[in-house]
Amino acid sequence: MTEQSVIFFDIDGTLLDHNKELPATAKEAIFQLKENGHVVAIATGRAPFMYADLREELGIHSYVSYNGQYVVLEGEVIYTNPLNKSSLLNFTEKALHNNHPVVYMDHEDMRANVPEHPYINESIASLKINQFPTHDPYYYQDRALYQTLLFCAEGEEKQYEREFKDFDFVRWHPVSVDVVPKGGSKAIGIKKMVEKLGIPRDRQYAFGDGLNDLEMLSSIENSVAMGNAEEVIKLAAKYVTHPVDDDGIYHGLKMAGLL
């Protein structure tokens, strides 16, 4: 019998192509991994509600969301790392003063502190998801939030970076920035999961393509960069596979000896 391994997959640019579609060969490969007794998990910057359909389609119940801030193993929450509430309140006040909208995000939903804004419309539409933030300026109260989106032009986030040392600011769109707890990463979320699973390092695998995958690919022994990844990502990985839209997942799993 094949020894059990765990394989983590990023979503955008890794499982999903640039049209946000899942290649047929990737889906078939994941079903084959599961049939062979391996643990298949997702590691993404997305919120859990942004890829519920994908998890259902692939039958995946273990995932690292918000770049490591919310970790679920077989349907059970095993680790959370929410934003500091007092810092978030001060951050919100500054953003309001600067006319920079924010969207608050927990594990179930996202709500905007303004009724409407073109930057919100533009950036969220680019994700091609079914959800859109509704208006609730007090959504940050009485709940744990794992990420906030700040909407501003490139460079304008620098003032927040200087002032709010509890947060990391990661631009993902020309008009939007992820605000996450300082030092959080996919690698930390993955570490929490593999500790529970008890699967050794030599049977841990990860696939990714973006800058938020860099620490994950550097820390996982059997890491695979997609062919569409930037050069710095490829240099961090053990293997480099084909691009996502050229059967990259399938070929990467073959290279790693899992198929």
Side-chain angles (χ1 to χ4, degrees):
M1 179 180 172
T2 305
E3 288 189 299
Q4 187 181 57
S5 297
V6 58
I7 307 97
F8 294 90
F9 293 97
D10 171 52
I11 294 180
D12 299 287
T14 301
L15 279 178
L16 300 185
D17 64 20
H18 305 297
N19 295 316
K20 306 300 181 187
E21 294 178 354
L22 176 68
T25 54
K27 184 174 181 177
E28 291 164 9
I30 285 172
F31 282 135
Q32 187 62 58
L33 288 175
K34 293 171 63 182
E35 191 174 315
N36 291 345
H38 299 305
V39 178
V40 179
I42 286 173
T44 179
R46 288 191 183 210
F49 56 83
M50 289 183 174
Y51 60 102
D53 289 349
L54 180 64
R55 297 200 309 271
E56 184 176 350
E57 182 178 357
L58 295 175
I60 293 176
H61 308 292
S62 299
Y63 48 94
V64 175
S65 288
Y66 287 127
N67 288 323
Q69 318 315 318
Y70 190 85
V71 182
V72 171
L73 175 59
E74 289 302 316
E76 178 188 352
V77 180
I78 61 167
Y79 174 74
T80 62
N81 183 33
L83 293 160
N84 180 281
K85 286 192 174 183
S86 60
S87 296
L88 182 62
L89 178 59
N90 293 333
F91 165 78
T92 294
E93 290 174 350
K94 184 177 180 71
L96 280 170
H97 177 76
N98 292 334
N99 293 315
H100 290 155
V102 298
V103 166
Y104 307 111
M105 307 175 77
D106 65 3
H107 63 293
E108 293 178 324
D109 204 355
M110 55 181 168
R111 303 289 177 89
N113 71 336
V114 296
E116 192 173 11
H117 194 279
Y119 283 4
I120 297 177
N121 297 342
E122 178 185 342
S123 57
I124 299 298
S126 72
L127 294 172
K128 297 185 179 179
I129 57 176
N130 295 326
Q131 298 91 346
F132 196 83
T134 53
H135 180 219
D136 183 351
Y138 304 111
Y139 198 67
Y140 64 88
Q141 297 179 345
D142 304 321
R143 72 184 71 244
L145 298 175
Y146 304 101
Q147 181 171 288
T148 291
L149 302 180
L150 171 68
F151 297 87
C152 61
E154 292 190 55
E156 291 183 322
E157 70 274 20
K158 299 299 182 184
Q159 58 187 302
Y160 300 96
E161 291 176 359
R162 289 191 294 268
E163 185 171 343
F164 297 99
K165 301 301 185 182
D166 288 342
F167 302 150
D168 282 333
F169 295 83
V170 183
R171 183 166 289 277
W172 64 277
H173 188 277
V175 298
S176 187
V177 175
D178 287 340
V179 184
V180 294
K182 187 75 175 181
S185 72
K186 291 184 183 183
I188 291 174
I190 285 172
K191 184 171 183 283
K192 300 295 182 182
M193 189 181 294
V194 296
E195 284 174 354
K196 287 275 190 180
L197 289 168
I199 294 176
R201 281 181 53 80
D202 64 344
R203 298 207 300 275
Q204 298 171 18
Y205 298 77
F207 285 68
D209 74 300
L211 290 174
N212 65 338
D213 297 317
L214 188 56
E215 191 173 345
M216 172 178 78
L217 296 181
S218 300
S219 62
I220 293 285
E221 187 168 314
N222 302 297
S223 55
V224 185
M226 305 302 289
N228 44 280
E230 293 181 29
E231 195 61 28
V232 65
I233 307 301
K234 293 177 180 177
L235 290 172
K238 182 176 181 179
Y239 306 99
V240 178
T241 184
H242 295 191
V244 58
D245 53 4
D246 186 23
D247 302 330
I249 294 295
Y250 172 79
H251 285 290
L253 290 168
K254 291 281 284 187
M255 291 171 69
L258 288 166
L259 291 181

